Amino acid sequence: MIRILTVKRANRMSRTNRGCGSRSMLRLVDGTLRKKGTGLRKLVGRLRRLRGRHEREVMQTMRIAPPKPIVRTRPARPRPAQISFEGSVIHMVGVGGCGMRAAARLLLQCGARVSGSDQKLFDGIGPLKEFGAKISIGQDASNLPPGVTLVVHSAAVPEHNEELRAARACGCRVIKYAELLGELMRLRKGVAVAGTHGKSTTTAMTAYLFKMAGLAPSYVVGANVPQLGGGAGVGMGEHFIVEACEFDRSFLNLQPRQAAILNVEADHLDCYADIDEITEAFTTFANGVESNGLIVARHEDVRLMQAVAHAQARVETFGFASGATWRAVDLSFDKGRYAFCITYEDQHLFRTSIALAGRHNIANALVAVALAWNAGATRDVLAEALTTFEGVDRRMTECGRARGVIVIDDYAHHPTEVSVTLEALRERHAPKRLWVVFQPHQHSRTRILMDDFARSFGAADEIIVPAVYGSRDTAADARLTNAQDLVERIRKNGGSVTYMPTLEGISSHLENSVQEGDVVVTMGAGNVWTLAHDLAERLKRAG
């Protein structure tokens, strides 16, 4: 006996189909059985679209037991447990990290007294202080506030850190950032977005769609999202949406109801031995999704499809190729903006457009729609909300225009991110010259992915590389690789590249070199964003 339709699934499918005649449905079933290589899963997927009085006839033809009657009313759900840290004194070590900043903001909104420390000044310190956090630059045991009840640290903070040692010595509870997210997720229906890249934009877009659909989610995004008022928020709805990072296997602390995995590529090879270990970690993450939940995975990613092959949760795929559950079709491009149709199991849902540059953001939109649709959002809301989503900070963010030059900043620090971002910028702006200032992030990442980085700048006309931004690197890592090594490799691949060690020197050089029609983009996960804002101001003053 196989139950084909669940109540929720049947009700959802009724939104996309108006029904069809019994004979045509039987031909559909017969044709499905005749298709070479079609398995039960695909057959079941097609049968889910059958409804009403036709279901019994089809089930009898196939000798499968009919489903139980569909209940049209849904019992009221209990109100989700309130997320509250009222009166808690929480200290955050490594608070400058993207996810840690967002978590700090969420804790502040939940009533906690929050302090934090980091080794360097970081983007976003101002808003945290405005919200009431006490932030210290430099790490020392004296930073721990009186009465501290919980210390949260990022995965990048070593265990011998003075603040962590002092917290443990006084009996304070110490947990990692990812453990905090896991505890918060148990109070809600978790929605986690994972993958080597694209996580921040897709998590933010998902939270935005949920919010526009009236689902009032709580969320933590590893970047600032102006339209959401920041990178974190607390809603009264039943969903908690988070960006799930694979570094240090952090995402294995999460057991979401819904998960998206965008891609699986080599990165963070300072904590993984190779791509096989990375794939194994994503497999474990997929297996941790609730069995009655959903995984949305990229259809064209072979390693990713291997990772979700044995997951207990239902798997839906997304992409551009035939066979994906969620597809973008009939693409058009006008005035820097993509429009496209979204289909679900080959059925048209709606036509929409996005303000974000690049085909990769169409794929991100498919994921956000899939997650919101499965949470109950309607097609009209989704179609409209996608057109108004403006993205997140440091993702092809325009910093200024002056003297006919556009200055843009981006977080790209992986070869694939660099490549797709440069292609998207060239497609949207058609610049006279496309300048890129790429600040390598980590000596170890630069060394391990050197060849991939060297090939990733094909869409750029002029490339400038400053010194490596060290993070989590050992002294041995720094001795093995430097920025000049990358410059030499890029040059061997035909790139027009220059090494300039300081950001200030680069800003001065660009001010005197750029011409009307040029686009300048700064790239990297370090402090290269300061260069973009400095250059934009220089050009305005000179113009």
Side-chain angles (χ1 to χ4, degrees):
M1 297 292 194
I2 301 175
R3 185 176 180 216
I4 298 298
L5 292 172
T6 64
V7 172
K8 184 176 180 180
R9 183 73 166 177
N11 287 335
R12 187 169 71 250
M13 292 313 304
S14 70
R15 288 182 279 167
T16 61
N17 295 278
R18 297 291 184 182
C20 55
S22 299
R23 292 182 181 177
S24 62
M25 285 194 294
L26 288 174
R27 285 197 298 270
L28 173 63
V29 172
D30 182 61
T32 302
L33 290 172
R34 291 175 183 273
K35 283 186 178 180
K36 183 177 180 180
T38 300
L40 180 59
R41 174 173 289 189
K42 189 167 184 179
L43 175 60
V44 169
R46 290 187 175 231
L47 286 174
R48 282 174 174 151
R49 294 198 293 269
L50 305 178
R51 49 175 272 196
R53 62 186 177 81
H54 308 295
E55 292 172 9
R56 184 175 302 278
E57 182 179 356
V58 174
M59 297 303 172
Q60 289 174 348
T61 301
M62 300 183 63
R63 297 181 181 178
I64 296 177
K68 295 178 181 179
I70 295 176
V71 179
R72 296 296 179 186
T73 59
R74 182 186 300 173
R77 291 193 182 99
R79 190 173 183 175
Q82 183 177 4
I83 300 177
S84 176
F85 287 87
E86 195 71 41
S88 299
V89 180
I90 302 174
H91 184 69
M92 307 190 73
V93 185
V95 72
C98 297
M100 288 284 283
R101 293 200 307 268
R105 177 139 180 201
L106 183 143
L107 292 170
L108 287 164
Q109 292 177 13
C110 292
R113 288 168 47 201
V114 176
S115 61
S117 67
D118 211 290
Q119 293 179 330
K120 302 176 182 178
L121 282 171
F122 56 89
D123 184 23
I125 187 172
L128 276 183
K129 287 183 175 181
E130 290 174 6
F131 268 84
K134 180 181 178 181
I135 307 298
S136 301
I137 300 302
Q139 294 179 329
D140 185 84
S142 62
N143 291 332
L144 292 178
V148 61
T149 53
L150 176 66
V151 172
V152 182
H153 67 96
S154 77
V157 174
E159 289 298 319
H160 58 75
N161 177 277
E162 288 188 36
E163 294 181 17
L164 298 189
R165 291 168 62 183
R168 292 191 175 100
C170 67
C172 183
R173 185 174 178 230
V174 178
I175 63 173
K176 289 184 177 182
Y177 159 73
E179 294 176 88
L180 172 67
L181 290 188
E183 292 185 8
L184 293 172
M185 186 169 284
R186 283 191 281 274
L187 301 175
R188 292 287 192 271
K189 287 185 177 179
V191 180
V193 179
T196 307
H197 29 254
K199 295 184 292 294
S200 295
T201 296
T202 307
T203 307
M205 193 183 300
T206 301
Y208 182 75
L209 295 188
F210 273 61
K211 191 170 183 178
M212 297 299 286
L215 297 172
S218 300
Y219 52 88
V220 173
V221 184
N224 182 47
V225 191
Q227 284 178 296
L228 296 177
V234 181
M236 294 308 297
E238 60 184 357
H239 298 94
F240 182 47
I241 303 167
V242 302
E243 180 175 334
C245 183
E246 74 276 16
F247 173 70
D248 194 38
R249 295 172 174 79
S250 295
F251 61 172
L252 300 187
N253 288 280
L254 308 175
Q255 292 184 316
R257 176 69 60 85
Q258 292 190 67
I261 307 178
L262 308 179
N263 35 61
V264 176
E265 292 187 30
D267 197 10
H268 301 302
L269 292 170
D270 51 342
C271 60
Y272 291 100
D274 51 32
I275 185 63
D276 291 332
E277 269 200 9
I278 294 171
T279 305
E280 181 181 346
F282 276 99
T283 300
T284 304
F285 172 72
N287 291 342
V289 178
E290 295 180 16
S291 59
N292 61 339
L294 169 71
I295 298 172
V296 181
R298 188 176 184 86
H299 178 68
E300 297 93 344
D301 192 317
V302 175
R303 281 194 175 273
L304 174 48
M305 296 313 296
Q306 292 172 351
V308 302
H310 302 292
Q312 297 301 305
R314 185 174 82 256
V315 175
E316 295 181 350
T317 59
F318 72 95
F320 299 94
S322 176
T325 313
W326 294 89
R327 291 182 66 200
V329 299
D330 299 330
L331 276 62
S332 62
F333 185 76
D334 183 48
K335 297 179 181 178
R337 191 179 184 113
Y338 273 108
F340 51 95
C341 293
I342 293 181
T343 66
Y344 177 66
E345 293 186 344
D346 297 326
Q347 299 295 307
H348 174 84
L349 283 184
F350 54 82
R351 187 166 183 82
T352 188
S353 65
I354 56 173
L356 308 184
R359 282 173 59 95
H360 63 288
N361 277 315
I362 299 176
N364 294 339
L366 288 175
V367 173
V369 166
L371 295 172
W373 177 263
N374 277 279
T378 63
R379 70 176 79 193
D380 292 341
V381 168
L382 294 174
E384 176 63 24
L386 280 178
T387 67
T388 58
F389 179 67
E390 297 172 358
V392 304
D393 281 354
R394 299 220 61 214
R395 304 309 187 272
M396 292 185 277
T397 301
E398 187 172 312
C399 299
R401 295 185 180 219
R403 288 170 36 187
V405 177
I406 304 173
V407 181
I408 293 169
D409 178 52
D410 194 86
Y411 191 69
H413 58 285
H414 181 278
T416 301
E417 296 165 354
V418 171
S419 178
V420 299
T421 300
L422 291 176
E423 290 171 2
L425 291 174
R426 181 166 289 283
E427 180 181 55
R428 168 161 287 192
H429 296 288
K432 180 178 179 181
R433 289 182 299 177
L434 178 56
W435 296 75
V436 56
V437 180
F438 177 71
Q439 183 185 52
H441 186 257
Q442 291 187 291
H443 293 271
S444 57
R445 175 187 278 121
T446 305
R447 182 184 75 254
I448 295 168
L449 300 177
M450 181 76 73
D451 289 335
D452 293 327
F453 274 123
R455 291 188 292 264
S456 66
F457 296 95
D461 296 300
E462 300 291 339
I463 308 154
I464 301 176
V465 179
V468 175
Y469 186 90
S471 174
R472 305 193 303 267
D473 285 316
T474 64
D477 288 326
R479 286 193 298 270
L480 287 172
T481 307
N482 57 39
Q484 293 96 316
D485 297 327
L486 177 58
V487 166
E488 182 180 343
R489 197 68 60 88
I490 293 172
R491 190 172 289 127
K492 286 182 178 179
N493 275 271
S496 177
V497 59
T498 304
Y499 171 69
M500 294 185 183
T502 69
L503 299 183
E504 183 178 355
I506 295 172
S507 186
S508 178
H509 171 75
L510 287 171
E511 181 184 6
N512 296 318
S513 302
V514 293
Q515 302 172 5
E516 183 177 353
D518 288 354
V519 169
V520 179
V521 56
T522 57
M523 285 185 166
N527 63 347
V528 71
W529 60 272
T530 61
L531 166 59
H533 293 277
D534 179 65
L535 177 61
E537 287 300 317
R538 284 173 180 252
L539 294 175
K540 286 179 183 178
R541 290 196 300 266

